[in-house]
Amino acid sequence: MSEDGPQRRRPNVLITGTPGVGKTSTAALIAERVGLLHVNVGDLIKQHNCHEGRDEELDTNVLDEDKLLDVMEGILDKAAEENQGIVADFHVCEIFPERWFDLVLVLRTSTDVLFDRLTNRGYNEKKRAENMEAEIMQVILEEAR
């Protein structure tokens, strides 16, 4: 949300956590139940090509944070203009300005459940190990504090 943009009257919520903990499912459910707009940030990145290359080792795109923030700012401003709050989900939170969100929820799950989910998604060994370590070490939780 731009600092001089429209005033918000409804809340914006960010749901974050390690990939595979259930962010998107939870965000969609909350948004539906309380009448907010669900914004899947991962989908936005794909739709607006908010990446600046590829990390082949981790089998993922490299995020263009500036481009993503520009896209998100437009969505948040439009939502505020339409008196609409949002529930966004993404696996990091530290890239977003604090003023954008009224509440940040960090989801966690047990490592045995997470391992199976990441395996079922086809994550390679290195990518799965990195995400498992992030969950064990509570990386996302620490970033959200």
Side-chain angles (χ1 to χ4, degrees):
M1 260 191 94
S2 54
E3 289 185 50
D4 57 348
Q7 290 291 352
R8 239 181 325 130
R9 293 179 295 284
R10 307 243 5 240
N12 290 336
V13 177
L14 175 65
I15 298 181
T16 190
T18 305
V21 297
K23 296 177 300 297
T24 300
S25 299
T26 302
L29 180 64
I30 290 171
E32 180 182 328
R33 293 263 172 100
V34 298
L36 300 175
L37 174 68
H38 176 215
V39 176
N40 180 319
V41 177
D43 286 349
L44 282 182
I45 291 167
K46 293 173 192 164
Q47 293 165 2
H48 296 275
N49 294 314
C50 299
H51 45 81
E52 53 189 12
R54 183 119 181 109
D55 182 333
E56 294 300 333
E57 191 175 12
L58 289 176
D59 189 29
T60 191
N61 291 320
V62 177
L63 178 63
D64 181 339
E65 291 180 15
D66 291 334
K67 188 170 185 180
L68 172 61
L69 292 176
D70 288 344
V71 170
M72 284 285 296
E73 187 171 69
I75 290 169
L76 291 168
D77 283 348
K78 185 173 188 260
E81 287 171 5
E82 297 174 355
N83 194 29
Q84 179 68 52
I86 71 158
V87 179
D89 69 90
F90 196 47
H91 63 274
V92 296
C93 62
E94 78 277 359
I95 66 171
F96 302 116
E98 287 183 26
R99 71 179 184 279
W100 281 8
F101 296 101
D102 302 294
L103 177 65
V104 176
L105 301 174
V106 180
L107 300 186
R108 309 274 326 277
T109 192
S110 65
T111 54
D112 55 331
V113 169
L114 184 61
F115 183 89
D116 291 343
R117 288 178 183 171
L118 298 179
T119 300
N120 290 338
R121 289 182 177 188
Y123 280 29
N124 67 37
E125 181 61 35
K126 182 169 177 62
K127 186 173 183 176
R128 184 177 54 218
E130 184 175 286
N131 283 290
M132 293 294 296
E133 182 178 331
E135 183 65 12
I136 292 166
M137 300 303 293
Q138 302 180 28
V139 171
I140 309 294
L141 180 61
E142 290 303 316
E143 290 173 354
R145 289 180 193 252

